[in-house]
Structure formats: structure tokens, C-alpha cells
């Protein structure tokens, strides 16, 4: 079938239904009526001779064929968008573009201040939205263009996703000043294991990187508190005898008002490397290239 005989708007509808899992939500996303979305879906079903989506409760579940074509469709749609947007030079000074950046909340405090300072100087009307995206959905969001870029740890993504290393960070241990077990500016492994610890994680369960490193040595620490945010954890450290293990860069920011001691982690541990990710389709997109340059510059001074 020649492409001239196909309405390419049908594939935009297809991607919206796939992403939203609902005809209702897809219609809201595209500002179209539900009958219009249903009509487009029926045309696609005839085109592929496949139902593409099957209703299971309130969710439209993709068929095996729909799963097999979603990534090529997303790459093609993104390519069209980049071609249209890249036809003109990106002028940061006058642009009113809004960028979406996937960024774990643990990185916001260190990444956003220098990044927004640079963006504000170069592009006064550009806005930035940071989102926390499931790592399982990161590649599809970059492919669909719902994300312009992402910053995260090293992830097993396909060759369609480009990446460059941003930074490495040491691991440190925080304890309150005057802690009865930590009397010097050093922390032995024996003392570390005697302490009771805070683990900070957005997950409900599972070990931290420091626990993985300890387990390699056949060691285990005692977790007394598991919480979600480092700011709260730093305050608990300041008011108790609990210890907190975390990245050094963020520790120096969050700990400023608490004045806890920062001590080296008592085991050799690989640096906590983070990476900038983007989809191959936007390699040469002027706007995305500008955003990546801003991020790289900000991370160089953070």
C-alpha cells in the first residue's frame, strides 16, 4: 500500500490511544470528540485487518500487532515533528518553547538551580517542566516526544536512545555533630555497622546501592527508618543518633541548615554516575540540541 493512500493522522490517533489506554483520554488529549477517535480507530482496524486494541474493563489493551508497530510509528511521528520544527533555526532569545525533562526528585536540587539560571539568561520566555517518569516508560516517552530529554543513572536502553555521561558523585555518611559513636572526622566500617540507619527511597522496598556494596562483603546494616526525602532524613539525623548515606553533592545542599557531619563512606564504592538521555530522532533538532547544551553547561558548574 502506497503512503499517499493513507491518512497519516490515523497514526497520531493510534499513538494517543496506545499512550492513554483509553478512547476517552485520547479524545481529551487530542481535543477531538470520542466518536471521531472511534471512527479513526475503525479505519485503522480495516487498514491493518486487526482489532489493534481490545477493551478489558476500562482499559484499551493493545494487541500483539499494535505492540509490534508502536515504536516504528512513534519514531516516524517524532521524525515528522522534528522536520517541521527544525525547518527554522531555533532562536532561544525569542522562543516560547516548553521543554519536558524527566528528572528524579533526588536530582532536582542540584540540577535545576544552575540549569534555570542559564535558561533564564539565554531564553527569557522558555519554560521547563520536570517530570518523574517510570524507568520502564522512559524510552517510549522519549520516542513519542512527550519527553525532550531525561537525566538518570545508567539504564539498559536500546540504541534508539542516545546518552552522555554528566557527572560522578561520591557517597558520604551524615551523622549529627556530637554523635556518641563518631568522635573524629573519620568513620570506620565497624562503627558504620554499629550505627542505626535511615534509607531514603521512593520505592516501598528494596536495597540501596550502599546495601548492595555491603552485601558484596557479606555485611548488612540495620535500617531503623525508611523515608522518601533527603531533606526530612537530614533533619532526623540532626535530632537523633541515626546515620544517613547519600550522594555528596546533594548532601552539601540539603545539609546546609542542619550542619551534620559529612564523612566518607567506609568502603570503596563506584561513583554515582548520571547520564543525559535523548532520542536519536532529535540528534540534530536545533531546539533539543540547545536544551542539551544548557544541561551540560549547568552540570559542569553544579
Amino acid at each position: 500500500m502506497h503512503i499517499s493512500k493513507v491518512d497519516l493522522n490515523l497514526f497520531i490517533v493510534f499513538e494517543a490511544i496506545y499512550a492513554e489506554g483509553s478512547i476517552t483520554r485520547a479524545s481529551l488529549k487530542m481535543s477531538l470528540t470520542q466518536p471521531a477517535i472511534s471512527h479513526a480507530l475503525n479505519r485503522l482496524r480495516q487498514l491493518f485487518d486487526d482489532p489493534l486494541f481490545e477493551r478489558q474493563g476500562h482499559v484499551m489493551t493493545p494487541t500483539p500487532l499494535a505492540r509490534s508497530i508502536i515504536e516504528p510509528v512513534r519514531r516516524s511521528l517524532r521524525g515528522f515533528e522534528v522536520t517541521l520544527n527544525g525547518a527554522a533555526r531555533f532562536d532561544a532569545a525569542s522562543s516560547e518553547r516548553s521543554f519536558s525533562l524527566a528528572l528524579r526528585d533526588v536530582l532536582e536540587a542540584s540540577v535545576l538551580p544552575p540549569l534555570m539560571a542559564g535558561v533564564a539568561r539565554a531564553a527569557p520566555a522558555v519554560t521547563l517542566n520536570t517530570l518523574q517518569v517510570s524507568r520502564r516508560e522512559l524510552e517510549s516517552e522519549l520516542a513519542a516526544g512527550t519527553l525532550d530529554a531525561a537525566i538518570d543513572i545508567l539504564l539498559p536502553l536500546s540504541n534508539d536512545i542516545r546518552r552522555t555521561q554528566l557527572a560522578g558523585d561520591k557517597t558520604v555518611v551524615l551523622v549529627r555533630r556530637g554523635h556518641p559513636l563518631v568522635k573524629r572526622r573519620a568513620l570506620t566500617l565497624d562503627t558504620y555497622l554499629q550505627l542505626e540507619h535511615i534509607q531514603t527511597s521512593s520505592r516501598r522496598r528494596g536495597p540501596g546501592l550502599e546495601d548492595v556494596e555491603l552485601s558484596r562483603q557479606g555485611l548488612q546494616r540495620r535500617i531503623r527508618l525508611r523515608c522518601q526525602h533527603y531533606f526530612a532524613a537530614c533533619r532526623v539525623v540532626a535530632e537523633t543518633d541515626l546515620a544517613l548515606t547519600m550522594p555528596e553533592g546533594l548532601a552539601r545542599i540539603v545539609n546546609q541548615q542542619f550542619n551534620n557531619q559529612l564523612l566518607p563512606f567506609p568502603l570503596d564504592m563506584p561513583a554515582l554516575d548520571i547520564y543525559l538521555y535523548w532520542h536519536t530522532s532529535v540528534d540534530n533538532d536545533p531546539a533539543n540540541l540547545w536544551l542539551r547544551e544548557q544541561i551540560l553547561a549547568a552540570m559542569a558548574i553544579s
Side-chain angles (χ1 to χ4, degrees):
M1 181 178 296
H2 196 274
I3 193 172
S4 63
K5 298 181 179 180
V6 180
D7 181 356
L8 297 182
N9 286 315
L10 297 178
F11 293 98
I12 301 175
V13 173
F14 170 74
E15 196 285 325
I17 298 173
Y18 197 104
E20 300 297 328
S22 163
I23 289 178
T24 300
R25 289 196 296 272
S27 69
L28 292 173
K29 180 179 180 179
M30 298 188 64
S31 299
L32 295 173
T33 64
Q34 291 186 44
I37 296 293
S38 297
H39 178 67
L41 178 56
N42 287 332
R43 291 175 63 191
L44 278 168
R45 284 169 167 166
Q46 294 173 12
L47 181 66
F48 285 100
D49 192 23
D50 187 90
L52 296 177
F53 300 95
E54 296 172 338
R55 187 176 298 279
Q56 295 184 359
H58 297 293
V59 178
M60 297 292 286
T61 302
T63 65
L65 176 63
R67 291 192 183 95
S68 72
I69 66 173
I70 183 61
E71 290 308 322
V73 167
R74 281 174 167 166
R75 283 196 298 271
S76 299
L77 292 176
R78 187 61 170 154
F80 287 136
E81 183 180 0
V82 169
T83 299
L84 292 172
N85 291 335
R89 184 178 63 87
F90 178 72
D91 182 6
S94 61
S95 175
E96 297 181 357
R97 173 79 177 263
S98 178
F99 292 99
S100 292
L101 175 66
L103 186 64
R104 315 299 289 186
D105 56 356
V106 67
L107 294 172
E108 283 193 331
S110 55
V111 173
L112 290 183
L115 176 57
M116 287 311 300
V119 169
R121 286 192 299 270
V126 162
T127 58
L128 182 66
N129 302 311
T130 64
L131 310 167
Q132 185 156 311
V133 176
S134 167
R135 286 169 175 151
R136 288 178 296 181
E137 298 174 359
L138 191 63
E139 182 164 344
S140 63
E141 296 250 19
L142 288 169
T146 51
L147 283 176
D148 295 292
I151 300 176
D152 211 325
I153 60 174
L154 183 61
L155 300 172
L157 303 176
S158 78
N159 292 334
D160 288 334
I161 304 301
R162 299 281 193 255
R163 68 170 179 247
T164 186
Q165 187 172 340
L166 289 177
D169 206 355
K170 296 178 182 178
T171 300
V172 296
V173 182
L174 277 68
V175 296
R176 70 174 177 86
R177 295 193 182 277
H179 193 290
L181 294 181
V182 184
K183 302 183 184 299
R184 300 189 303 274
R185 291 287 301 170
L187 182 64
T188 67
L189 181 57
D190 286 342
T191 301
Y192 182 83
L193 295 175
Q194 290 178 49
L195 297 172
E196 295 181 322
H197 295 267
I198 305 171
Q199 183 175 355
T200 304
S201 175
S202 59
R203 296 174 296 141
R204 294 188 177 189
R205 59 184 65 88
L209 294 176
E210 58 273 24
D211 297 298
V212 173
E213 197 64 35
L214 287 167
S215 68
R216 290 194 180 113
Q217 310 292 327
L219 303 171
Q220 186 175 8
R221 59 180 184 158
R222 185 189 176 197
I223 305 296
R224 185 72 181 277
L225 169 66
R226 188 182 182 106
C227 68
Q228 300 176 76
H229 300 290
Y230 281 114
F231 180 85
C234 281
R235 183 169 181 180
V236 173
V237 168
E239 299 180 15
T240 68
D241 288 337
L242 299 183
L244 171 65
T245 306
M246 66 181 294
E248 181 180 19
L250 181 60
R252 296 195 178 280
I253 296 171
V254 179
N255 186 54
Q256 287 180 2
Q257 72 183 79
F258 300 114
N259 199 32
N260 295 309
Q261 294 187 73
L262 271 65
L263 306 167
F265 185 68
L267 280 177
D268 289 333
M269 188 167 172
L272 301 171
D273 294 329
I274 59 173
Y275 290 80
L276 171 62
Y277 297 93
W278 67 96
H279 195 266
T280 183
S281 64
V282 295
D283 256 347
N284 299 313
D285 174 38
N288 194 279
L289 181 60
W290 177 85
L291 174 64
R292 301 196 310 263
E293 289 172 347
Q294 298 304 305
I295 294 171
L296 291 170
M299 296 303 293
I301 63 174
S302 64

